[in-house]
Amino acid sequence: MTQSVDHVALLPVYLAAGTAVLALLADLFVGRRGVVFAAATLGAAATAVGAVLVGRGGDRATFCAGDACSFLSTDRSALVAVLFALLTLGVLGISAATRDVPPGEYAFLLACSMTGGVVLGSAGDLITLIVALETLTLPLYVLVGLRRRTVASAEGAVTFFVVSVVATAVTLLGAALLYAVAGRVHFTALAAGDLPDAPLTSVAVVLVLAGLAFKVAAVPFHAWAPAAYDGAPVPIAAYLSTASKLGGIIAILYAVVDGLRPALDKSGPALAVLAVLTMTVGNLVALRQTRMVRLLAWSSVAQAGYILAPLGAFMLADGRAELATAVAATLAYTAFYVVLELAAFGAVVALRPGEDGGTLEEYRGAARQRPWVGAALVLALIGLAGLPPGLAGLFAKVAVVRSLLEGGAGWLAVVVALNAVVGLAYYVRVSALLYAPMARPAPARVPWLVATTLGAVTLIAIVIGFAPQLVLDAVNS
């Protein structure tokens, strides 16, 4: 049987993959760093525009078997593609100060990872989802280890690779067991049929969730994150904590809500346990960190717990009835989080251009020397903590707690609130350190592209902080 292919639906994927090829050719024939990064930036921007245009043209599908399709082009997939393209643009912008990595390989691998994210948003079955997620992740192994003269970079890359291989094997085993009990892998077919109420079904659901939880660094699948973040170039650490985590959240939402909806009573308890462990361990370990990137890494682990918390309400009947509210809260928190996290890493790059993240003590008085950059970092940190005037984080946590209360999971809302109080300790400590008496001379001049990118991201954070309803309306539509 000949299968028709809808090339219009695949246009964002073509543009994303073409970005990788364009960056590689620019490095091969021109070899100038600025040209390579300009080519990658142009391709990422074209990917975002292409996704918007395809999304406005109505729903499309390709690679179909009957009514079940493996690739779906919808408003949702267009939004995911645009987010990945914009995050890639942001990381390319703050990468202007990174000089110890080969630009061609750097831009090529970053574009390959973006391609995986674009495909992920359109996944219509478990196999496409897993392949897209691995396409998103595989280039990151190399990017983490791209600082070739740094031992920490190699250690982080090896740790990331080993744990990821195990997580992928677990996900594939869960998908195989799910196919064994259901006989189908397309999300529409899984959601339409009743999954057998058997122990094997529970095992399959838990294994799929456990493997996907690795991508968001959820406890106990989090061990790779601190080493990988601290060893990677700081812009790649930013990509890991934003785009990679976004990919993991999208994968979990697609698998749980689109595919495993008949098994919410099984996935709900697993997600609740993951959320509680992740936010608690992340916050407690972050209290003891002395290096900036490691602190942000453990903070990212804790934030993953807040993101997963609304989905934990599925363990109760009331939570399953409030499915749309829980999903909206998770998406809203994710949107607020990625903006604030990118701003935090952008400020770290601006304060230490061309260097690693350094120790917390090296940031003493940094806001006195670089007032605007320091203010941007403080805004991001207190936003992640959920304090005014960083209202984005505050409204995100309110949305999470409200969804849990509406879903009948009041005890989980209390855990979220208590962990938010614990998180205040290290966010406020670092913010205060930035305005303490100075300990080191002023750093090198901030590259204009880094400053521009940081300014744009901070402006977005301010806008959504004071107008959070824009994000809430978008995820509810």
Side-chain angles (χ1 to χ4, degrees):
M1 181 180 67
T2 302
Q3 188 177 66
S4 62
V5 177
D6 188 340
H7 294 286
V8 174
L10 293 169
L11 179 62
V13 182
Y14 292 155
L15 291 171
T19 301
V21 176
L22 183 63
L24 203 59
L25 291 176
D27 184 54
L28 177 63
F29 291 108
V30 181
R32 296 179 58 183
R33 178 186 180 86
V35 174
V36 173
F37 274 66
T41 300
L42 179 64
T47 301
V49 173
V52 171
L53 293 177
V54 173
R56 288 170 61 89
D59 294 352
R60 311 178 75 97
T62 189
F63 304 119
C64 300
D67 294 332
C69 298
S70 296
F71 192 95
L72 305 171
S73 177
T74 62
D75 291 343
R76 182 177 66 177
S77 66
L79 177 61
V80 173
V82 169
L83 286 175
F84 275 104
L86 292 179
L87 288 172
T88 303
L89 283 173
V91 170
L92 285 169
I94 64 175
S95 297
T98 304
R99 298 291 178 181
D100 58 345
V101 296
E105 291 90 331
Y106 185 90
F108 170 75
L109 291 168
L110 201 57
C112 287
S113 183
M114 177 183 68
T115 304
V118 172
V119 176
L120 177 65
S122 299
D125 62 56
L126 271 175
I127 305 304
T128 305
L129 181 94
I130 294 172
V131 171
L133 202 54
E134 290 310 303
T135 305
L136 169 66
T137 306
L138 281 171
L140 299 178
Y141 306 148
V142 183
L143 285 168
V144 169
L146 214 53
R147 294 165 60 201
R148 291 170 292 187
R149 292 183 293 274
T150 306
V151 175
S153 184
E155 291 176 347
V158 171
T159 302
F160 188 17
F161 172 74
V162 171
V163 179
S164 181
V165 167
V166 175
T168 302
V170 170
T171 308
L172 289 171
L173 178 58
L177 293 177
L178 197 60
Y179 181 75
V181 299
R184 47 194 180 270
V185 292
H186 288 90
F187 294 143
T188 53
L190 285 169
D194 292 329
L195 294 175
D197 188 12
L200 191 59
T201 303
S202 299
V203 172
V205 170
V206 170
L207 287 177
V208 169
L209 289 178
L212 296 179
F214 160 83
K215 306 300 180 182
V216 298
V219 176
F221 313 102
H222 66 290
W224 62 273
Y229 284 33
D230 203 22
V234 178
I236 296 304
Y239 193 83
L240 281 168
S241 66
T242 55
S244 179
K245 196 173 291 289
L246 174 64
I249 294 300
I250 295 298
I252 289 174
L253 285 174
Y254 279 21
V256 171
V257 178
D258 287 359
L260 302 178
R261 186 173 299 188
L264 287 179
D265 58 328
K266 299 177 177 62
S267 59
L271 289 167
V273 171
L274 284 175
V276 171
L277 289 176
T278 301
M279 69 179 79
T280 304
V281 172
N283 279 321
L284 292 178
V285 179
L287 291 171
R288 299 180 56 82
Q289 298 308 303
T290 58
R291 292 183 60 81
M292 177 61 82
V293 172
R294 281 189 175 265
L295 183 140
L296 290 175
W298 284 106
S299 161
S300 176
V301 171
Q303 297 292 333
Y306 301 138
I307 292 172
L308 292 175
L311 305 183
F314 293 157
M315 66 187 301
L316 301 171
D318 289 346
R320 294 192 287 277
E322 297 291 339
L323 178 67
T325 302
V327 173
T330 293
L331 288 174
Y333 198 104
T334 303
F336 290 131
Y337 162 78
V338 295
V339 173
L340 293 170
E341 190 79 354
L342 185 59
F345 275 100
V348 169
V349 172
L351 289 172
R352 295 176 58 85
E355 304 180 47
D356 62 8
T359 64
L360 294 178
E361 191 60 30
E362 291 175 306
Y363 289 81
R364 181 180 293 275
R368 294 171 178 258
Q369 300 169 325
R370 296 274 190 255
W372 292 107
V373 177
L377 180 54
V378 170
L379 178 67
L381 291 174
I382 63 177
L384 290 169
L387 289 177
L391 296 179
L394 174 61
F395 279 101
K397 286 183 171 59
V398 169
V400 168
V401 171
R402 185 179 63 182
S403 71
L404 290 171
L405 293 176
E406 291 179 358
W411 67 271
L412 191 50
V414 172
V415 174
V416 169
L418 291 175
N419 271 278
V421 173
V422 174
L424 291 177
Y426 56 87
Y427 286 124
V428 173
R429 175 167 61 94
V430 175
S431 299
L433 190 66
L434 289 167
Y435 287 95
M438 292 175 282
R440 59 177 297 193
R445 183 177 60 87
V446 180
W448 69 269
L449 190 55
V450 174
T452 302
T453 304
L454 176 60
V457 176
T458 303
L459 181 61
I460 294 172
I462 292 173
V463 170
I464 66 174
F466 287 97
Q469 196 61 40
L470 294 174
V471 175
L472 295 175
D473 290 343
V475 300
N476 278 306
S477 61

